[in-house]
Coordinates of all heavy atoms in Angstrom, one line a residue:
Chain B
L55 N -4.6 32.4 74.6 CA -4.6 33.2 73.4 C -5.6 32.6 72.4 O -5.7 31.4 72.3 CB -3.2 33.3 72.8 CG -2.1 33.9 73.7 CD1 -0.8 33.9 72.9 CD2 -2.4 35.3 74.2
T56 N -6.3 33.5 71.7 CA -7.2 33.1 70.6 C -6.6 33.5 69.3 O -5.5 34.1 69.2 CB -8.5 33.7 70.7 OG1 -8.4 35.1 70.5 CG2 -9.1 33.5 72.1
D57 N -7.3 33.1 68.2 CA -6.8 33.4 66.9 C -7.1 34.9 66.5 O -6.6 35.4 65.5 CB -7.5 32.5 65.8 CG -7.0 31.1 65.9 OD1 -5.8 30.9 66.3 OD2 -7.8 30.2 65.6
I58 N -7.9 35.5 67.3 CA -8.4 36.8 66.8 C -7.4 37.9 67.2 O -6.9 37.9 68.4 CB -9.8 37.1 67.4 CG1 -10.7 35.9 67.2 CG2 -10.4 38.4 66.9 CD1 -12.0 36.0 67.9
K59 N -7.2 38.9 66.3 CA -6.3 40.0 66.6 C -7.0 41.3 66.1 O -7.6 41.3 65.0 CB -5.0 39.8 65.9 CG -3.9 40.8 66.2 CD -2.7 40.4 65.5 CE -1.5 41.4 65.7 NZ -1.8 42.8 65.4
I60 N -6.8 42.4 66.9 CA -7.4 43.6 66.4 C -6.3 44.6 66.2 O -5.2 44.5 66.7 CB -8.5 44.2 67.3 CG1 -7.9 44.6 68.7 CG2 -9.6 43.2 67.5 CD1 -8.9 45.2 69.5
D61 N -6.6 45.7 65.4 CA -5.6 46.7 65.1 C -5.7 47.9 66.0 O -6.5 48.7 65.9 CB -5.9 47.1 63.6 CG -4.7 47.8 63.0 OD1 -3.6 47.8 63.6 OD2 -4.8 48.4 62.0
I62 N -4.8 47.9 67.0 CA -4.8 49.0 67.9 C -3.3 49.5 68.2 O -2.4 48.7 68.1 CB -5.4 48.7 69.3 CG1 -4.9 47.4 69.9 CG2 -6.9 48.6 69.2 CD1 -5.3 47.2 71.3
K63 N -3.2 50.7 68.7 CA -1.9 51.2 69.1 C -1.7 50.8 70.6 O -2.7 50.4 71.3 CB -1.8 52.7 69.0 CG -1.8 53.1 67.5 CD -0.9 54.3 67.3 CE -0.5 54.5 65.9 NZ -1.5 54.5 64.9
R64 N -0.5 50.9 71.2 CA -0.3 50.6 72.6 C -1.2 51.3 73.5 O -1.2 52.6 73.4 CB 1.2 50.9 72.8 CG 1.8 50.2 74.1 CD 3.2 50.5 74.2 NE 3.4 51.9 74.6 CZ 3.5 52.3 75.9 NH1 3.4 51.4 76.9 NH2 3.6 53.5 76.3
V65 N -1.9 50.7 74.4 CA -2.7 51.3 75.4 C -3.7 52.4 74.8 O -3.5 53.6 75.0 CB -1.9 51.9 76.5 CG1 -2.9 52.2 77.7 CG2 -0.9 51.0 77.0
P66 N -4.7 52.0 74.0 CA -5.6 52.9 73.5 C -6.6 53.3 74.6 O -6.7 52.6 75.6 CB -6.3 52.2 72.4 CG -6.3 50.8 72.8 CD -5.0 50.6 73.6
N67 N -7.3 54.5 74.4 CA -8.4 54.7 75.4 C -9.6 53.9 75.1 O -9.7 53.4 74.0 CB -8.6 56.2 75.5 CG -8.8 56.9 74.2 OD1 -9.2 56.2 73.2 ND2 -8.6 58.2 74.1
K68 N -10.5 53.9 76.1 CA -11.6 52.9 76.0 C -12.4 53.1 74.7 O -12.8 52.1 74.1 CB -12.5 53.2 77.2 CG -13.3 52.0 77.7 CD -12.4 50.8 78.0 CE -13.1 49.8 78.9 NZ -12.3 49.4 80.0
K69 N -12.7 54.4 74.3 CA -13.5 54.6 73.1 C -12.8 54.0 71.9 O -13.5 53.3 71.1 CB -13.6 56.2 73.0 CG -15.0 56.6 72.6 CD -15.3 58.1 72.7 CE -14.1 58.9 72.3 NZ -14.4 60.2 71.8
T70 N -11.5 54.3 71.8 CA -10.8 53.7 70.6 C -10.8 52.2 70.6 O -11.0 51.6 69.6 CB -9.3 54.2 70.6 OG1 -9.2 55.4 71.3 CG2 -8.8 54.3 69.2
L71 N -10.7 51.7 71.8 CA -10.6 50.2 71.9 C -11.9 49.6 71.4 O -12.0 48.7 70.7 CB -10.4 49.8 73.4 CG -10.3 48.3 73.6 CD1 -9.1 47.7 72.9 CD2 -10.4 47.9 75.0
I72 N -13.1 50.2 71.9 CA -14.4 49.7 71.6 C -14.6 49.8 70.1 O -15.1 48.9 69.4 CB -15.5 50.4 72.4 CG1 -15.3 50.0 73.9 CG2 -16.9 50.0 71.9 CD1 -16.3 50.7 74.8
A73 N -14.2 51.0 69.5 CA -14.3 51.2 68.1 C -13.6 50.2 67.3 O -14.1 49.6 66.3 CB -13.9 52.6 67.7
A74 N -12.3 49.9 67.7 CA -11.5 48.9 67.0 C -12.1 47.5 67.1 O -12.1 46.7 66.1 CB -10.1 48.9 67.6
M75 N -12.7 47.2 68.3 CA -13.3 45.9 68.4 C -14.5 45.7 67.5 O -14.8 44.7 66.9 CB -13.7 45.6 69.9 CG -12.5 45.3 70.7 SD -12.9 44.9 72.4 CE -13.2 43.2 72.3
E76 N -15.3 46.8 67.4 CA -16.4 46.8 66.5 C -16.0 46.6 65.0 O -16.6 45.9 64.3 CB -17.3 48.1 66.6 CG -17.9 48.3 68.0 CD -19.1 47.4 68.2 OE1 -19.8 47.1 67.2 OE2 -19.2 46.9 69.3
A77 N -14.9 47.4 64.7 CA -14.4 47.3 63.3 C -14.0 45.9 62.9 O -14.2 45.4 61.8 CB -13.3 48.3 63.1
A78 N -13.3 45.3 63.9 CA -12.8 43.9 63.6 C -13.9 42.9 63.8 O -13.7 41.7 63.5 CB -11.6 43.6 64.5
D79 N -15.0 43.3 64.4 CA -16.2 42.4 64.6 C -15.8 41.2 65.4 O -16.0 40.0 65.1 CB -16.8 42.0 63.3 CG -18.3 41.7 63.4 OD1 -18.8 41.9 64.5 OD2 -18.9 41.2 62.5
V80 N -15.1 41.4 66.6 CA -14.6 40.4 67.4 C -15.7 39.4 67.9 O -15.6 38.2 67.9 CB -13.9 41.0 68.6 CG1 -13.6 40.0 69.7 CG2 -12.6 41.7 68.2
K81 N -16.9 40.1 68.2 CA -17.9 39.3 68.9 C -18.4 38.2 67.9 O -18.5 37.0 68.3 CB -19.1 40.2 69.2 CG -20.0 39.6 70.2 CD -20.8 40.7 70.9 CE -21.6 40.1 72.1 NZ -22.9 39.8 71.9
S82 N -18.7 38.6 66.7 CA -19.3 37.5 65.8 C -18.2 36.6 65.3 O -18.5 35.4 65.2 CB -20.0 38.2 64.6 OG -19.0 38.8 63.8
K83 N -17.0 37.0 65.2 CA -15.9 36.1 64.9 C -15.8 35.0 65.9 O -15.6 33.8 65.7 CB -14.6 36.9 64.7 CG -14.3 37.4 63.4 CD -12.8 37.7 63.3 CE -12.6 38.8 62.2 NZ -11.4 39.6 62.4
W84 N -15.8 35.5 67.2 CA -15.7 34.6 68.3 C -16.9 33.6 68.4 O -16.7 32.4 68.5 CB -15.6 35.3 69.6 CG -15.6 34.5 70.9 CD1 -16.5 34.4 71.8 CD2 -14.5 33.6 71.2 NE1 -16.1 33.6 72.8 CE2 -14.9 33.0 72.4 CE3 -13.3 33.2 70.6 CZ2 -14.1 32.1 73.1 CZ3 -12.5 32.3 71.3 CH2 -12.9 31.7 72.5
E85 N -18.1 34.1 68.2 CA -19.3 33.3 68.3 C -19.4 32.3 67.2 O -20.1 31.3 67.3 CB -20.5 34.1 68.5 CG -20.6 34.8 69.8 CD -21.8 35.8 69.9 OE1 -22.5 36.0 68.9 OE2 -21.9 36.4 71.0
N86 N -18.8 32.6 66.0 CA -18.8 31.7 64.9 C -17.7 30.7 64.9 O -17.7 29.7 64.2 CB -18.9 32.4 63.6 CG -20.1 33.2 63.5 OD1 -21.2 32.8 64.0 ND2 -20.1 34.4 62.8
S87 N -16.6 31.0 65.7 CA -15.5 30.0 65.7 C -16.0 28.8 66.5 O -16.8 28.8 67.3 CB -14.3 30.7 66.4 OG -14.6 30.8 67.8
S88 N -15.3 27.7 66.2 CA -15.7 26.4 66.8 C -15.5 26.5 68.3 O -16.3 25.9 69.1 CB -15.0 25.2 66.2 OG -13.6 25.4 66.4
W89 N -14.4 27.1 68.8 CA -14.1 27.3 70.2 C -15.3 28.1 70.9 O -15.8 27.6 71.9 CB -12.8 28.0 70.4 CG -12.3 28.1 71.7 CD1 -12.8 27.7 72.9 CD2 -11.1 28.7 72.1 NE1 -12.0 28.1 74.0 CE2 -10.9 28.7 73.5 CE3 -10.0 29.3 71.3 CZ2 -9.8 29.2 74.1 CZ3 -8.9 29.9 72.0 CH2 -8.8 29.8 73.4
G90 N -15.6 29.2 70.3 CA -16.7 30.0 70.8 C -18.0 29.3 70.9 O -18.7 29.4 71.9
R91 N -18.3 28.5 69.8 CA -19.6 27.8 69.8 C -19.6 26.8 70.9 O -20.6 26.6 71.5 CB -19.8 27.2 68.4 CG -20.4 28.2 67.4 CD -20.6 27.5 66.1 NE -19.4 27.2 65.3 CZ -19.2 26.1 64.7 NH1 -20.1 25.2 64.6 NH2 -18.0 25.9 64.0
K92 N -18.5 26.1 71.1 CA -18.4 25.1 72.1 C -18.7 25.7 73.5 O -19.5 25.1 74.3 CB -17.0 24.4 72.2 CG -16.9 23.1 71.4 CD -15.6 22.4 71.7 CE -14.5 23.0 70.8 NZ -13.2 22.4 71.1
L93 N -18.1 26.9 73.8 CA -18.4 27.5 75.1 C -19.8 27.9 75.3 O -20.4 27.7 76.3 CB -17.5 28.7 75.2 CG -16.0 28.5 75.5 CD1 -15.3 29.8 75.9 CD2 -15.8 27.5 76.6
I94 N -20.4 28.3 74.2 CA -21.8 28.7 74.3 C -22.7 27.5 74.6 O -23.6 27.6 75.4 CB -22.3 29.4 72.9 CG1 -21.6 30.8 72.8 CG2 -23.8 29.5 72.9 CD1 -21.9 31.4 71.5
V95 N -22.4 26.4 73.9 CA -23.2 25.2 74.2 C -23.0 24.7 75.6 O -23.9 24.3 76.3 CB -22.8 24.1 73.2 CG1 -23.3 22.7 73.6 CG2 -23.2 24.4 71.8
Q96 N -21.7 24.8 76.1 CA -21.5 24.4 77.5 C -22.3 25.2 78.5 O -22.9 24.7 79.4 CB -20.0 24.6 77.9 CG -19.1 23.5 77.4 CD -17.6 23.8 77.7 OE1 -17.3 24.7 78.5 NE2 -16.8 23.1 77.0
K97 N -22.3 26.5 78.2 CA -23.0 27.4 79.1 C -24.5 27.1 79.1 O -25.2 27.1 80.1 CB -22.9 28.9 78.7 CG -21.7 29.6 79.3 CD -21.9 31.1 79.3 CE -20.5 31.7 79.7 NZ -19.9 32.5 78.6
K98 N -25.0 26.8 77.9 CA -26.5 26.5 77.8 C -26.8 25.3 78.5 O -27.8 25.2 79.2 CB -26.8 26.4 76.3 CG -28.3 26.3 76.0 CD -28.9 27.6 76.1 CE -30.4 27.7 75.9 NZ -31.3 26.8 76.5
R99 N -25.9 24.2 78.4 CA -26.2 23.0 79.0 C -26.2 23.1 80.5 O -27.0 22.5 81.3 CB -25.2 21.9 78.6 CG -25.3 21.4 77.3 CD -24.8 20.0 77.1 NE -25.0 19.6 75.7 CZ -24.1 19.1 74.9 NH1 -22.8 18.9 75.4 NH2 -24.4 18.8 73.7
A100 N -25.3 24.0 81.0 CA -25.2 24.1 82.5 C -26.4 24.9 83.0 O -26.7 24.7 84.2 CB -23.9 24.9 82.8
S101 N -27.0 25.7 82.2 CA -28.1 26.5 82.7 C -29.5 25.8 82.5 O -30.5 26.3 82.8 CB -28.2 27.8 82.0 OG -28.6 27.6 80.7
L102 N -29.5 24.6 82.0 CA -30.7 23.9 81.8 C -31.5 23.5 83.0 O -30.9 23.1 84.0 CB -30.5 22.6 81.0 CG -30.2 22.7 79.5 CD1 -30.0 21.3 79.0 CD2 -31.4 23.3 78.8
N103 N -32.7 23.7 83.0 CA -33.7 23.4 84.1 C -33.9 21.9 84.1 O -33.6 21.3 83.1 CB -35.0 24.1 83.5 CG -36.0 24.2 84.6 OD1 -35.9 23.6 85.5 ND2 -37.0 25.1 84.2

Side-chain angles (χ1 to χ4, degrees):
Chain B
L55 303 178
T56 67
D57 288 330
I58 309 173
K59 183 175 179 306
I60 65 176
D61 195 12
I62 50 170
K63 294 216 160 52
R64 199 178 72 89
V65 194
N67 48 23
K68 209 55 158 224
K69 222 168 34 153
T70 332
L71 179 70
I72 295 179
M75 287 184 86
E76 295 288 321
D79 209 6
V80 169
K81 198 160 190 256
S82 66
K83 270 198 205 154
W84 177 245
E85 285 172 4
N86 294 329
S87 72
S88 60
W89 185 358
R91 277 183 287 139
K92 262 190 280 179
L93 284 191
I94 290 173
V95 167
Q96 278 175 17
K97 269 203 196 118
K98 188 79 183 44
R99 286 206 180 131
S101 71
L102 283 180
N103 195 344

